[in-house]
Amino acid sequence: MNTAKPYKTVVGLEVHVQLKTETKLFCRCSTHFGASPNTQVCPVCIGLPGALPVLNAKAIELAVRAGIGLNSRIASFTKWDRKSYFYPDLPKGYQTSQFDLPICAGGYLEIDARDPATGEMVRKKIALVRAHLEEDAGKSMHDETAGRADTRIDLNRAGTPLLEIVSEPELSSAEEAKDYLTEMRLLMMYLDVTDGNMQEGSLRADANVNLHIERDGKTIATPIVEIKNLNSFRAVERAVLYEASRQWDVFQETGLTIGQSPKQTRGWNDATGQTEMQREKEDSADYRYFPCPDLVPVTLKETDIEAARAAAVKTPAAIRKSMVETHGLKENEAEILVQQGRRVVDYFEELVHHGATAKRSASWMLQDVLRYLNENSAPIDDYPVPAHALAQLLTSIEMGKLDTSRGKEALSKLLADTEMTVDQAIASLGIAQVDAGEFEAMCRQLLVENPGVVEKVKAGNEKALASLVGQAKKMNKNADPKRVQETCKKMIESGDI
Ligand SMILES: [Zn+2]
């Protein structure tokens, strides 16, 4: 809690998620990032008179899936509205969006947050107002080439489908705002509705920020400021922190509260670390919303919604829960795996599916697999050892065929030679499965040669068995230390020497 601060920060976020479609929302132009300016445009997305939009069904499918992942109500009937405003990079003079009948309503996203009363971390549900579909505008490029003072327009992005997800003002700090955006991105990537690439603008946020100040037993609110186009987690956190402290200064100077001055739109300047006044905010009447006459409303069938529900099962929250409750992993182990993305989680689940225990699978993934991926900057799909092979190695260790350190050597062999099988890797280390009869004979010989150890164990000192491990390794370097000790103990207990 902001115990040192005389105010409470109140934040609502609007997150714009670029949906992972091949083509734009209302035309067949490519959405591929990075093409030369104005090469992915057509009469529809540059707004030539008479050009007619046709809806991309994939965008609806992804928006419904996102809405289900956000626990929202999916509208069975949704329509398109024109939001009129002028921007140089919006040649139509309006944006096709959704006004009164958005595709998703309500819902929530859970984050970890500090309980203001106890200071402990708790799960906090951030309620959502709505999520609606809209098309993106183009991009104004100011001075992006050295020596140029003009502004050029690139319309490749115009018409790209966005899902705008609007939260209630329930985030209480800059840190919570950052955590919310982080979890939102993770969820949207797990649902495969966006590539989540923030450098390319696939996820951007606007933050509505004001303060609640306690005065004479009453709560006073400062005017709301909307900070536009925050395109990194760090920008969200810094902008909210800066804006809260700026509003506190302004309030102390002017005493102005909500309603006494108009809502402002401010831009975030990452270089100066400040928000800058852009304009006084329009309200929705200024946009002259009206139903788009060129597009028919969308009616969703129950079967479409059910299909989306089936595709939205693997959310980060559901996977964390199953890892902890079903597989017995620690919360931080589950969290690290979940943060790596869905393909890494799939790999873990495959290990378990092929018979490795969840504990050992998680431990090897956290130590060995993730280290390899980091060192080689590789995605899990490029990990040289397939899950079924690593699972076979892990089960060999569980069965006592080799110990953990020899197991790691075998993994190195597998990483170095992708043609090698697990059996070949184990064999190449000189490890062949120790025959059960041979193994017992070896243990018996150890006990006969070490009567002192036998006496100690009989007297209750089981730790004495450890001294046999080194000798066993000399006799057979593949002898598993745990199995040596267990077998010798049983022999002594049963008098079978
Ligand atoms: Zn187009």
Side-chain angles (χ1 to χ4, degrees), residues 31 48 51 66 117 128 156 207 220 224 266 304 351 385-386 395 403 465:
T31 53
L48 294 187
L128 304 176
N156 282 353
I220 304 169
I224 297 172
R266 298 178 73 89
D304 299 331
L351 290 179
V385 183
T395 47
D403 63 20
L465 287 168

Side-chain angles (χ1 to χ4, degrees), residues 24 26-30 40-46 155 158-159:
K24 295 183 181 179
F26 300 116
C27 64
R28 290 192 176 161
C29 293
S30 169
Q40 294 173 169
V41 294
C42 73
V44 172
C45 55
I46 64 175
L155 294 176

